[in-house]
Amino acid sequence: QVQLVQSGAEVKKPGASVRVSCKASGYTFTSYGISWVRQAPGQGLEWMGWISAYNGYTNYAQKFQGRLTMTTDTSTSTAHMELRSLRSDDTAVYYCARDEEGYGMDVWGQGTTVTVSS
Amino acid sequence: SYVLTQPPSVSVAPGKTARITCGGNNIGSKSVHWYQQKPGQAPVLVIYYDSDRPSGIPERISGSNSGKTATLTISRVEAGDEADYYCQVWDSSSDRVFGGGTKLTVL
């Protein structure tokens, strides 16, 4: 079945970086893009950025420009999200989602909890 | 940046119809997607392209979009429909944007 499986929870100190992985299976990885969405405790969904698994083109939300990098590895059908210079307000659950423009985010990973604390 | 406005909460009795709105500038010209999120779970796409349902989503759930408001309608509401609901669009200046979310309470 089509699924996205994310890497495990992370605890980081302020100023550090975190890398979250998202492994796809059950579909042709390069035929869809991947969006990353985060959700702070008790808050709503926040879109972070999108990457084409076909050619690696990225589009980041302005809020994260300069400290966010998204990549894909087509040999393993895995997407990666790296957020740098972490702050306490980056504490959130981070989701990857299969995202074909115009059709919504139809498959979601289980989420990865990232905690930023000194 | 583009802003989507949703009511924070909607309450409805079982068996009745719930309507959740999503407002935005000229939203009628955009494709609106809706997600359902239950506590501790990842979101689930329930409506895409204004009114299309992914496979497995019941016909009780429908969507519409015109003018300044998109609407998610849930007919014959059940206890299992209690969740947070988010609208989402693509905008040329902001790319993907989510609304603030609406908590649906089944009385």
Side-chain angles (χ1 to χ4, degrees):
Chain A
Q1 72 281 26
V2 176
Q3 61 178 352
L4 298 173
V5 178
Q6 299 183 222
S7 50
E10 302 267 9
V11 179
K12 297 292 182 180
K13 293 191 181 301
S17 299
V18 68
R19 190 176 192 235
V20 179
S21 299
C22 169
K23 183 170 176 60
S25 61
Y27 72 96
T28 302
F29 182 63
T30 52
S31 294
Y32 295 83
I34 295 285
S35 270
W36 289 88
V37 176
R38 76 177 186 180
Q39 186 171 37
Q43 302 300 309
L45 303 175
E46 180 177 31
W47 178 75
M48 300 178 68
W50 177 87
I51 182 167
S52 165
Y54 175 71
N55 60 14
Y57 172 82
T58 55
N59 194 9
Y60 302 144
Q62 189 168 6
K63 174 178 180 176
F64 300 102
Q65 294 275 359
R67 68 182 189 112
L68 176 63
T69 299
M70 296 179 183
T71 58
T72 58
D73 181 345
T74 56
S75 68
T76 60
S77 298
T78 302
H80 303 278
M81 184 280 297
E82 181 183 47
L83 188 62
R84 300 176 293 279
S85 302
L86 290 169
R87 307 183 289 255
S88 58
D89 63 359
D90 290 318
T91 294
V93 177
Y94 289 75
Y95 294 100
C96 61
R98 189 175 80 166
D99 183 354
E100 183 178 358
E101 196 168 306
Y103 292 89
M105 302 173 200
D106 67 336
V107 180
W108 291 67
Q110 82 276 21
T112 297
T113 299
V114 175
T115 303
V116 183
S117 174
S118 55
Chain B
S1 61
Y2 192 79
V3 176
L4 292 172
T5 302
Q6 299 182 235
S9 63
V10 168
S11 299
V12 63
K16 300 299 185 182
T17 297
R19 294 179 179 84
I20 298 172
T21 58
C22 176
N25 185 36
N26 202 26
I27 195 172
S29 67
K30 303 181 186 300
S31 292
V32 181
H33 315 303
W34 290 91
Y35 303 87
Q36 176 194 70
Q37 186 182 34
K38 297 182 179 179
Q41 298 184 18
V44 173
L45 180 69
V46 294
I47 292 289
Y48 66 96
Y49 199 42
D50 293 342
S51 58
D52 289 342
R53 277 183 303 275
S55 60
I57 302 301
E59 292 184 7
R60 302 185 297 108
I61 297 178
S62 61
S64 62
N65 183 19
S66 64
K68 297 181 179 179
T69 303
T71 303
L72 177 72
T73 302
I74 306 175
S75 303
R76 302 182 298 283
V77 166
E78 305 170 354
D81 297 324
E82 190 162 283
D84 294 326
Y85 292 84
Y86 296 89
C87 57
Q88 180 249 314
V89 302
W90 180 90
D91 174 75
S92 59
S93 63
S94 306
D95 207 291
R96 278 80 169 164
V97 180
F98 285 99
T102 298
K103 180 177 181 59
L104 176 65
T105 299
V106 181
L107 300 171

PDB file of all heavy atoms in Angstrom, chain A residues 48-74:
ATOM      1  N   MET A  48       5.714  24.204   5.350  1.00  0.00           N
ATOM      2  CA  MET A  48       7.101  24.645   5.384  1.00  0.00           C
ATOM      3  C   MET A  48       7.714  24.758   3.989  1.00  0.00           C
ATOM      4  O   MET A  48       8.503  25.679   3.718  1.00  0.00           O
ATOM      5  CB  MET A  48       7.939  23.673   6.215  1.00  0.00           C
ATOM      6  CG  MET A  48       7.495  23.540   7.651  1.00  0.00           C
ATOM      7  SD  MET A  48       8.477  22.333   8.550  1.00  0.00           S
ATOM      8  CE  MET A  48      10.064  23.168   8.591  1.00  0.00           C
ATOM      9  N   GLY A  49       7.383  23.799   3.137  1.00  0.00           N
ATOM     10  CA  GLY A  49       7.985  23.832   1.809  1.00  0.00           C
ATOM     11  C   GLY A  49       7.612  22.593   1.014  1.00  0.00           C
ATOM     12  O   GLY A  49       7.003  21.649   1.531  1.00  0.00           O
ATOM     13  N   TRP A  50       7.988  22.599  -0.253  1.00  0.00           N
ATOM     14  CA  TRP A  50       7.649  21.521  -1.189  1.00  0.00           C
ATOM     15  C   TRP A  50       8.868  21.210  -2.040  1.00  0.00           C
ATOM     16  O   TRP A  50       9.646  22.109  -2.396  1.00  0.00           O
ATOM     17  CB  TRP A  50       6.488  21.975  -2.071  1.00  0.00           C
ATOM     18  CG  TRP A  50       6.062  21.011  -3.139  1.00  0.00           C
ATOM     19  CD1 TRP A  50       5.170  19.992  -3.022  1.00  0.00           C
ATOM     20  CD2 TRP A  50       6.511  20.987  -4.511  1.00  0.00           C
ATOM     21  NE1 TRP A  50       5.024  19.336  -4.224  1.00  0.00           N
ATOM     22  CE2 TRP A  50       5.838  19.919  -5.160  1.00  0.00           C
ATOM     23  CE3 TRP A  50       7.403  21.750  -5.252  1.00  0.00           C
ATOM     24  CZ2 TRP A  50       6.029  19.615  -6.501  1.00  0.00           C
ATOM     25  CZ3 TRP A  50       7.588  21.450  -6.586  1.00  0.00           C
ATOM     26  CH2 TRP A  50       6.918  20.392  -7.201  1.00  0.00           C
ATOM     27  N   ILE A  51       9.044  19.914  -2.356  1.00  0.00           N
ATOM     28  CA  ILE A  51      10.126  19.516  -3.237  1.00  0.00           C
ATOM     29  C   ILE A  51       9.585  18.567  -4.289  1.00  0.00           C
ATOM     30  O   ILE A  51       8.764  17.685  -3.988  1.00  0.00           O
ATOM     31  CB  ILE A  51      11.294  18.861  -2.453  1.00  0.00           C
ATOM     32  CG1 ILE A  51      12.442  18.500  -3.405  1.00  0.00           C
ATOM     33  CG2 ILE A  51      10.842  17.650  -1.634  1.00  0.00           C
ATOM     34  CD1 ILE A  51      13.745  18.146  -2.680  1.00  0.00           C
ATOM     35  N   SER A  52      10.031  18.752  -5.507  1.00  0.00           N
ATOM     36  CA  SER A  52       9.703  17.820  -6.575  1.00  0.00           C
ATOM     37  C   SER A  52      10.628  16.617  -6.472  1.00  0.00           C
ATOM     38  O   SER A  52      11.856  16.772  -6.501  1.00  0.00           O
ATOM     39  CB  SER A  52       9.884  18.485  -7.944  1.00  0.00           C
ATOM     40  OG  SER A  52       9.895  17.516  -8.970  1.00  0.00           O
ATOM     41  N   ALA A  53      10.066  15.433  -6.373  1.00  0.00           N
ATOM     42  CA  ALA A  53      10.890  14.229  -6.352  1.00  0.00           C
ATOM     43  C   ALA A  53      11.389  13.881  -7.751  1.00  0.00           C
ATOM     44  O   ALA A  53      12.266  13.029  -7.908  1.00  0.00           O
ATOM     45  CB  ALA A  53      10.112  13.054  -5.767  1.00  0.00           C
ATOM     46  N   TYR A  54      10.855  14.562  -8.752  1.00  0.00           N
ATOM     47  CA  TYR A  54      11.272  14.317 -10.133  1.00  0.00           C
ATOM     48  C   TYR A  54      12.601  14.990 -10.445  1.00  0.00           C
ATOM     49  O   TYR A  54      13.510  14.385 -11.014  1.00  0.00           O
ATOM     50  CB  TYR A  54      10.187  14.809 -11.084  1.00  0.00           C
ATOM     51  CG  TYR A  54      10.557  14.722 -12.544  1.00  0.00           C
ATOM     52  CD1 TYR A  54      10.653  13.494 -13.181  1.00  0.00           C
ATOM     53  CD2 TYR A  54      10.821  15.876 -13.282  1.00  0.00           C
ATOM     54  CE1 TYR A  54      11.007  13.411 -14.528  1.00  0.00           C
ATOM     55  CE2 TYR A  54      11.174  15.805 -14.619  1.00  0.00           C
ATOM     56  CZ  TYR A  54      11.259  14.567 -15.233  1.00  0.00           C
ATOM     57  OH  TYR A  54      11.607  14.492 -16.554  1.00  0.00           O
ATOM     58  N   ASN A  55      12.706  16.296 -10.052  1.00  0.00           N
ATOM     59  CA  ASN A  55      13.921  17.028 -10.421  1.00  0.00           C
ATOM     60  C   ASN A  55      14.572  17.774  -9.273  1.00  0.00           C
ATOM     61  O   ASN A  55      15.560  18.478  -9.459  1.00  0.00           O
ATOM     62  CB  ASN A  55      13.620  18.015 -11.557  1.00  0.00           C
ATOM     63  CG  ASN A  55      12.564  19.034 -11.183  1.00  0.00           C
ATOM     64  OD1 ASN A  55      12.214  19.191 -10.010  1.00  0.00           O
ATOM     65  ND2 ASN A  55      12.036  19.737 -12.168  1.00  0.00           N
ATOM     66  N   GLY A  56      14.028  17.645  -8.057  1.00  0.00           N
ATOM     67  CA  GLY A  56      14.630  18.280  -6.891  1.00  0.00           C
ATOM     68  C   GLY A  56      14.310  19.753  -6.718  1.00  0.00           C
ATOM     69  O   GLY A  56      14.825  20.399  -5.806  1.00  0.00           O
ATOM     70  N   TYR A  57      13.459  20.301  -7.572  1.00  0.00           N
ATOM     71  CA  TYR A  57      13.076  21.708  -7.427  1.00  0.00           C
ATOM     72  C   TYR A  57      12.407  21.909  -6.078  1.00  0.00           C
ATOM     73  O   TYR A  57      11.582  21.107  -5.651  1.00  0.00           O
ATOM     74  CB  TYR A  57      12.117  22.112  -8.552  1.00  0.00           C
ATOM     75  CG  TYR A  57      11.521  23.484  -8.366  1.00  0.00           C
ATOM     76  CD1 TYR A  57      12.228  24.629  -8.744  1.00  0.00           C
ATOM     77  CD2 TYR A  57      10.261  23.656  -7.811  1.00  0.00           C
ATOM     78  CE1 TYR A  57      11.694  25.896  -8.567  1.00  0.00           C
ATOM     79  CE2 TYR A  57       9.709  24.909  -7.630  1.00  0.00           C
ATOM     80  CZ  TYR A  57      10.427  26.024  -8.013  1.00  0.00           C
ATOM     81  OH  TYR A  57       9.892  27.264  -7.822  1.00  0.00           O
ATOM     82  N   THR A  58      12.769  23.007  -5.414  1.00  0.00           N
ATOM     83  CA  THR A  58      12.202  23.285  -4.103  1.00  0.00           C
ATOM     84  C   THR A  58      11.518  24.638  -4.068  1.00  0.00           C
ATOM     85  O   THR A  58      11.877  25.556  -4.809  1.00  0.00           O
ATOM     86  CB  THR A  58      13.294  23.260  -3.011  1.00  0.00           C
ATOM     87  OG1 THR A  58      14.336  24.188  -3.372  1.00  0.00           O
ATOM     88  CG2 THR A  58      13.871  21.877  -2.828  1.00  0.00           C
ATOM     89  N   ASN A  59      10.572  24.765  -3.172  1.00  0.00           N
ATOM     90  CA  ASN A  59       9.905  26.032  -2.894  1.00  0.00           C
ATOM     91  C   ASN A  59       9.646  26.075  -1.401  1.00  0.00           C
ATOM     92  O   ASN A  59       8.892  25.252  -0.882  1.00  0.00           O
ATOM     93  CB  ASN A  59       8.601  26.151  -3.678  1.00  0.00           C
ATOM     94  CG  ASN A  59       8.077  27.567  -3.677  1.00  0.00           C
ATOM     95  OD1 ASN A  59       8.750  28.492  -3.232  1.00  0.00           O
ATOM     96  ND2 ASN A  59       6.864  27.751  -4.173  1.00  0.00           N
ATOM     97  N   TYR A  60      10.307  27.013  -0.718  1.00  0.00           N
ATOM     98  CA  TYR A  60      10.208  27.100   0.730  1.00  0.00           C
ATOM     99  C   TYR A  60       9.310  28.267   1.147  1.00  0.00           C
ATOM    100  O   TYR A  60       9.305  29.324   0.503  1.00  0.00           O
ATOM    101  CB  TYR A  60      11.595  27.310   1.352  1.00  0.00           C
ATOM    102  CG  TYR A  60      12.607  26.245   1.041  1.00  0.00           C
ATOM    103  CD1 TYR A  60      13.953  26.560   0.850  1.00  0.00           C
ATOM    104  CD2 TYR A  60      12.238  24.904   0.937  1.00  0.00           C
ATOM    105  CE1 TYR A  60      14.901  25.592   0.571  1.00  0.00           C
ATOM    106  CE2 TYR A  60      13.175  23.927   0.647  1.00  0.00           C
ATOM    107  CZ  TYR A  60      14.499  24.277   0.465  1.00  0.00           C
ATOM    108  OH  TYR A  60      15.430  23.302   0.184  1.00  0.00           O
ATOM    109  N   ALA A  61       8.571  28.101   2.225  1.00  0.00           N
ATOM    110  CA  ALA A  61       7.844  29.222   2.798  1.00  0.00           C
ATOM    111  C   ALA A  61       8.842  30.293   3.214  1.00  0.00           C
ATOM    112  O   ALA A  61       9.929  29.981   3.723  1.00  0.00           O
ATOM    113  CB  ALA A  61       7.018  28.764   3.998  1.00  0.00           C
ATOM    114  N   GLN A  62       8.463  31.524   3.006  1.00  0.00           N
ATOM    115  CA  GLN A  62       9.391  32.623   3.266  1.00  0.00           C
ATOM    116  C   GLN A  62       9.919  32.599   4.694  1.00  0.00           C
ATOM    117  O   GLN A  62      11.085  32.924   4.944  1.00  0.00           O
ATOM    118  CB  GLN A  62       8.697  33.952   2.975  1.00  0.00           C
ATOM    119  CG  GLN A  62       9.636  35.151   3.011  1.00  0.00           C
ATOM    120  CD  GLN A  62       8.999  36.412   2.445  1.00  0.00           C
ATOM    121  OE1 GLN A  62       7.814  36.442   2.119  1.00  0.00           O
ATOM    122  NE2 GLN A  62       9.784  37.452   2.320  1.00  0.00           N
ATOM    123  N   LYS A  63       9.086  32.179   5.619  1.00  0.00           N
ATOM    124  CA  LYS A  63       9.456  32.157   7.034  1.00  0.00           C
ATOM    125  C   LYS A  63      10.700  31.309   7.297  1.00  0.00           C
ATOM    126  O   LYS A  63      11.464  31.573   8.222  1.00  0.00           O
ATOM    127  CB  LYS A  63       8.285  31.603   7.838  1.00  0.00           C
ATOM    128  CG  LYS A  63       8.547  31.373   9.295  1.00  0.00           C
ATOM    129  CD  LYS A  63       7.302  30.866   9.991  1.00  0.00           C
ATOM    130  CE  LYS A  63       7.560  30.639  11.471  1.00  0.00           C
ATOM    131  NZ  LYS A  63       6.333  30.231  12.191  1.00  0.00           N
ATOM    132  N   PHE A  64      10.938  30.288   6.448  1.00  0.00           N
ATOM    133  CA  PHE A  64      12.028  29.346   6.693  1.00  0.00           C
ATOM    134  C   PHE A  64      13.213  29.529   5.749  1.00  0.00           C
ATOM    135  O   PHE A  64      14.193  28.772   5.822  1.00  0.00           O
ATOM    136  CB  PHE A  64      11.505  27.915   6.573  1.00  0.00           C
ATOM    137  CG  PHE A  64      10.404  27.596   7.543  1.00  0.00           C
ATOM    138  CD1 PHE A  64       9.084  27.579   7.132  1.00  0.00           C
ATOM    139  CD2 PHE A  64      10.686  27.335   8.874  1.00  0.00           C
ATOM    140  CE1 PHE A  64       8.056  27.313   8.025  1.00  0.00           C
ATOM    141  CE2 PHE A  64       9.686  27.061   9.779  1.00  0.00           C
ATOM    142  CZ  PHE A  64       8.359  27.054   9.352  1.00  0.00           C
ATOM    143  N   GLN A  65      13.107  30.506   4.866  1.00  0.00           N
ATOM    144  CA  GLN A  65      14.195  30.747   3.917  1.00  0.00           C
ATOM    145  C   GLN A  65      15.507  30.967   4.674  1.00  0.00           C
ATOM    146  O   GLN A  65      15.586  31.742   5.601  1.00  0.00           O
ATOM    147  CB  GLN A  65      13.888  31.983   3.063  1.00  0.00           C
ATOM    148  CG  GLN A  65      12.700  31.842   2.128  1.00  0.00           C
ATOM    149  CD  GLN A  65      13.070  31.200   0.808  1.00  0.00           C
ATOM    150  OE1 GLN A  65      14.224  30.866   0.565  1.00  0.00           O
ATOM    151  NE2 GLN A  65      12.071  31.003  -0.047  1.00  0.00           N
ATOM    152  N   GLY A  66      16.544  30.259   4.239  1.00  0.00           N
ATOM    153  CA  GLY A  66      17.861  30.435   4.824  1.00  0.00           C
ATOM    154  C   GLY A  66      18.226  29.422   5.884  1.00  0.00           C
ATOM    155  O   GLY A  66      19.412  29.243   6.190  1.00  0.00           O
ATOM    156  N   ARG A  67      17.255  28.733   6.473  1.00  0.00           N
ATOM    157  CA  ARG A  67      17.602  27.720   7.472  1.00  0.00           C
ATOM    158  C   ARG A  67      16.914  26.390   7.208  1.00  0.00           C
ATOM    159  O   ARG A  67      16.963  25.491   8.047  1.00  0.00           O
ATOM    160  CB  ARG A  67      17.346  28.227   8.882  1.00  0.00           C
ATOM    161  CG  ARG A  67      15.922  28.455   9.282  1.00  0.00           C
ATOM    162  CD  ARG A  67      15.881  29.020  10.718  1.00  0.00           C
ATOM    163  NE  ARG A  67      14.520  29.052  11.218  1.00  0.00           N
ATOM    164  CZ  ARG A  67      14.087  28.270  12.207  1.00  0.00           C
ATOM    165  NH1 ARG A  67      14.903  27.424  12.813  1.00  0.00           N
ATOM    166  NH2 ARG A  67      12.837  28.360  12.609  1.00  0.00           N
ATOM    167  N   LEU A  68      16.280  26.236   6.058  1.00  0.00           N
ATOM    168  CA  LEU A  68      15.593  25.003   5.705  1.00  0.00           C
ATOM    169  C   LEU A  68      16.158  24.456   4.404  1.00  0.00           C
ATOM    170  O   LEU A  68      16.363  25.204   3.450  1.00  0.00           O
ATOM    171  CB  LEU A  68      14.090  25.267   5.538  1.00  0.00           C
ATOM    172  CG  LEU A  68      13.207  24.117   5.065  1.00  0.00           C
ATOM    173  CD1 LEU A  68      13.218  22.974   6.079  1.00  0.00           C
ATOM    174  CD2 LEU A  68      11.793  24.607   4.818  1.00  0.00           C
ATOM    175  N   THR A  69      16.419  23.145   4.389  1.00  0.00           N
ATOM    176  CA  THR A  69      16.846  22.494   3.160  1.00  0.00           C
ATOM    177  C   THR A  69      16.084  21.186   2.999  1.00  0.00           C
ATOM    178  O   THR A  69      16.024  20.375   3.925  1.00  0.00           O
ATOM    179  CB  THR A  69      18.357  22.194   3.174  1.00  0.00           C
ATOM    180  OG1 THR A  69      19.094  23.416   3.302  1.00  0.00           O
ATOM    181  CG2 THR A  69      18.779  21.514   1.868  1.00  0.00           C
ATOM    182  N   MET A  70      15.494  21.011   1.834  1.00  0.00           N
ATOM    183  CA  MET A  70      14.799  19.767   1.502  1.00  0.00           C
ATOM    184  C   MET A  70      15.540  19.092   0.359  1.00  0.00           C
ATOM    185  O   MET A  70      15.953  19.753  -0.600  1.00  0.00           O
ATOM    186  CB  MET A  70      13.360  20.051   1.084  1.00  0.00           C
ATOM    187  CG  MET A  70      12.518  20.638   2.183  1.00  0.00           C
ATOM    188  SD  MET A  70      10.827  20.993   1.624  1.00  0.00           S
ATOM    189  CE  MET A  70      10.181  21.744   3.108  1.00  0.00           C
ATOM    190  N   THR A  71      15.690  17.779   0.474  1.00  0.00           N
ATOM    191  CA  THR A  71      16.341  16.997  -0.560  1.00  0.00           C
ATOM    192  C   THR A  71      15.583  15.693  -0.758  1.00  0.00           C
ATOM    193  O   THR A  71      14.739  15.321   0.068  1.00  0.00           O
ATOM    194  CB  THR A  71      17.804  16.677  -0.199  1.00  0.00           C
ATOM    195  OG1 THR A  71      17.816  15.967   1.054  1.00  0.00           O
ATOM    196  CG2 THR A  71      18.650  17.935  -0.069  1.00  0.00           C
ATOM    197  N   THR A  72      15.884  15.022  -1.867  1.00  0.00           N
ATOM    198  CA  THR A  72      15.350  13.687  -2.096  1.00  0.00           C
ATOM    199  C   THR A  72      16.461  12.768  -2.573  1.00  0.00           C
ATOM    200  O   THR A  72      17.442  13.226  -3.186  1.00  0.00           O
ATOM    201  CB  THR A  72      14.219  13.681  -3.141  1.00  0.00           C
ATOM    202  OG1 THR A  72      14.721  14.220  -4.370  1.00  0.00           O
ATOM    203  CG2 THR A  72      13.014  14.473  -2.675  1.00  0.00           C
ATOM    204  N   ASP A  73      16.320  11.497  -2.278  1.00  0.00           N
ATOM    205  CA  ASP A  73      17.233  10.461  -2.752  1.00  0.00           C
ATOM    206  C   ASP A  73      16.374   9.464  -3.522  1.00  0.00           C
ATOM    207  O   ASP A  73      15.666   8.647  -2.921  1.00  0.00           O
ATOM    208  CB  ASP A  73      17.925   9.799  -1.562  1.00  0.00           C
ATOM    209  CG  ASP A  73      18.919   8.728  -1.979  1.00  0.00           C
ATOM    210  OD1 ASP A  73      18.879   8.280  -3.164  1.00  0.00           O
ATOM    211  OD2 ASP A  73      19.730   8.314  -1.142  1.00  0.00           O
ATOM    212  N   THR A  74      16.416   9.537  -4.845  1.00  0.00           N
ATOM    213  CA  THR A  74      15.538   8.686  -5.645  1.00  0.00           C
ATOM    214  C   THR A  74      15.965   7.223  -5.582  1.00  0.00           C
ATOM    215  O   THR A  74      15.147   6.337  -5.822  1.00  0.00           O
ATOM    216  CB  THR A  74      15.508   9.160  -7.108  1.00  0.00           C
ATOM    217  OG1 THR A  74      16.835   9.187  -7.628  1.00  0.00           O
ATOM    218  CG2 THR A  74      14.898  10.556  -7.210  1.00  0.00           C
TER     219      THR A  74
END
